[in-house]
Amino acid sequence: MKAVVITHPGGPEVLQIEDRPAPSFAPDEVLVKVAAAGINRPDVFQRKGNYPPPAGAPQDIPGLEIAGIVSEVGSNVTRWKTGDKVCALVWGGGYAEYCNVPEGQCLPIPRNLTFEEAASLPETVFTVWSNVFDRGQLQPGESLLVHGGSSGIGVAAIQMAAAMGSTVYITAGSDEKCKFCEDLGAAKAINYNTR
């Protein structure tokens, strides 16, 4: 398979395409033919040499979120079948033609999204869901304050909390960003540079 690899720490020019063997996958994993991969801050930090990948993860192939088609399933997989369109949060290795993913880390791609759009979902959606709804137990009718409302996490938090019936307040660094957040569903936006 082709993979984008980090040849040594540095700028974008250190990323090169190389031939690599397709990853093996465990009985509780699926092998995804990657159609699109998200770009996250940890990917950039890893490229610069400032963010070591977890032990056991591909050390020189970045990529933490992907979207694609399940090409093979492990013997214990029950939720997915070959041909399913999924997006997933992975521990690395997403910048390649194939990526192995634990079954429980895959989500179905909403029908109205492209692979490129779906590849941008897992990191932010899982982060918001875990922190705001699982840990924070945000309920309909309650309020949520999001600092940095125009960030990727902020945008997801606004949309998800508003969709679940909560009132969202945000802070952002410019009037344009504040308007953007209010257009997304924030009840009130505060420009922290002018207040």
Side-chain angles (χ1 to χ4, degrees), residues 1 4-6 20-21 23-24 29 42-43 46 51-65 89-96 98-102 105:
M1 71 171 184
V4 174
V5 301
I6 302 168
R20 293 291 175 89
S24 58
E29 293 181 327
D43 298 319
Q46 183 180 349
Y51 189 87
Q59 297 299 298
D60 62 349
I61 304 174
L64 299 176
E65 54 186 352
L89 185 62
V90 298
W91 65 342
Y95 290 8
Y98 291 92
C99 188
N100 58 317
V101 185
Q105 289 174 215

Side-chain angles (χ1 to χ4, degrees), residues 12 14 21 34 59 61 75 97 123 126:
V14 306
V34 177
Q59 297 299 298
I61 304 174
S75 58
E97 287 184 289
E123 182 76 21
F126 285 151

Side-chain angles (χ1 to χ4, degrees), residues 149-151 154-155 158-159 170 174-186 189:
S150 62
S151 69
V155 166
I158 292 166
Q159 292 175 316
I170 70 97
S174 72
D175 290 340
E176 294 80 18
K177 289 178 179 179
C178 287
K179 180 179 181 331
F180 171 76
C181 292
E182 288 175 341
D183 290 345
L184 281 177

Side-chain angles (χ1 to χ4, degrees), residues 12-169:
E13 69 281 355
V14 306
L15 298 173
Q16 300 294 319
I17 297 175
E18 293 184 4
D19 287 317
R20 293 291 175 89
S24 58
F25 57 98
D28 62 343
E29 293 181 327
V30 298
L31 186 65
V32 176
K33 180 163 180 37
V34 177
I39 300 173
N40 289 281
R41 182 173 288 181
D43 298 319
V44 174
F45 287 169
Q46 183 180 349
R47 186 200 73 222
K48 292 179 176 182
N50 300 326
Y51 189 87
Q59 297 299 298
D60 62 349
I61 304 174
L64 299 176
E65 54 186 352
I66 62 168
I69 297 173
V70 174
S71 66
E72 295 185 58
V73 297
S75 58
N76 295 339
V77 172
T78 59
R79 183 169 180 199
W80 307 104
K81 64 184 182 317
T82 301
D84 285 344
K85 294 180 179 181
V86 297
C87 58
L89 185 62
V90 298
W91 65 342
Y95 290 8
E97 287 184 289
Y98 291 92
C99 188
N100 58 317
V101 185
E103 175 181 26
Q105 289 174 215
C106 294
L107 295 171
I109 295 177
R111 281 178 278 201
N112 62 330
L113 295 185
T114 65
F115 285 119
E116 293 81 6
E117 291 166 332
S120 72
L121 293 177
E123 182 76 21
T124 55
V125 170
F126 285 151
T127 299
V128 171
W129 189 265
S130 175
N131 288 289
V132 174
F133 297 101
D134 282 347
R135 289 177 157 185
Q137 296 293 305
L138 184 68
Q139 299 296 312
E142 292 182 340
S143 297
L144 174 67
L145 172 62
V146 178
H147 293 293
S150 62
S151 69
I153 296 293
V155 166
I158 292 166
Q159 292 175 316
M160 292 170 69
M164 299 293 276
S166 297
T167 304
V168 183
Y169 301 95

